[in-house]
Amino acid sequence: QVPLVESGGGSVQAGGSLTLSCKAAEWLSSTNCMGWFHQAPGKEPEAVAAIYTTPDKRYYVDSVKGRFTVSHDNHKNTGFLQMNSLKPEDSGMYYCATDTAPCTYREALGPILWYKNRGQGIQVTVSS
């Protein structure tokens, strides 16, 4: 497994922005897919965005389209999730996950268990 470390979480008021980072111990000649997952209290993690790195193809669930942007920087071994116009329902734990396999929409935004590597998670709190 490749260690992943998330950062950039915290507390923000509704309408605010946060950028989450996911740094991998090793990248990305072997990493093809990175996903971001949101886990609300008492629920399972659900994908919100993902990127298939080689063709730079990005996937989003409807609830974050136009508000979240997923990206990556191979030189820094880091992926990013820019979150704008945050809502209280965006609160929860956020996890990044990576896999060496290519990913279509189905894999990228499917269960987190599809991914080989997963970070420890970081808390995001959006107050109204």
Side-chain angles (χ1 to χ4, degrees):
Q1 286 192 342
V2 175
L4 303 173
V5 179
E6 298 98 337
S7 62
S11 297
V12 66
Q13 288 191 329
S17 299
L18 286 172
T19 298
L20 304 184
S21 299
C22 177
K23 188 169 180 63
E26 59 185 73
W27 198 255
L28 272 179
S29 59
S30 60
T31 294
N32 270 314
C33 193
M34 168 177 271
W36 287 93
F37 290 78
H38 169 231
Q39 185 174 25
K43 295 188 177 181
E44 293 295 313
E46 294 182 344
V48 295
I51 185 166
Y52 177 10
T53 59
T54 299
D56 196 22
K57 190 169 182 60
R58 307 177 190 200
Y59 309 103
Y60 300 95
V61 296
D62 288 344
S63 61
V64 306
K65 282 181 181 177
R67 300 192 299 124
F68 290 12
T69 302
V70 62
S71 62
H72 68 103
D73 184 334
N74 286 3
H75 300 293
K76 296 182 180 179
N77 291 1
T78 303
F80 304 95
L81 183 67
Q82 172 72 40
M83 305 187 295
N84 298 326
S85 302
L86 283 162
K87 304 175 182 180
E89 52 263 43
D90 295 321
S91 296
M93 290 293 289
Y94 281 78
Y95 299 90
C96 66
T98 64
D99 199 272
T100 54
C103 52
T104 64
Y105 181 96
R106 180 179 179 180
E107 292 90 10
L109 298 183
I112 195 170
L113 292 177
W114 179 83
Y115 291 84
K116 289 188 179 64
N117 309 301
R118 170 180 170 174
Q120 293 298 308
I122 195 162
Q123 180 69 37
V124 170
T125 302
V126 184
S127 57
S128 56

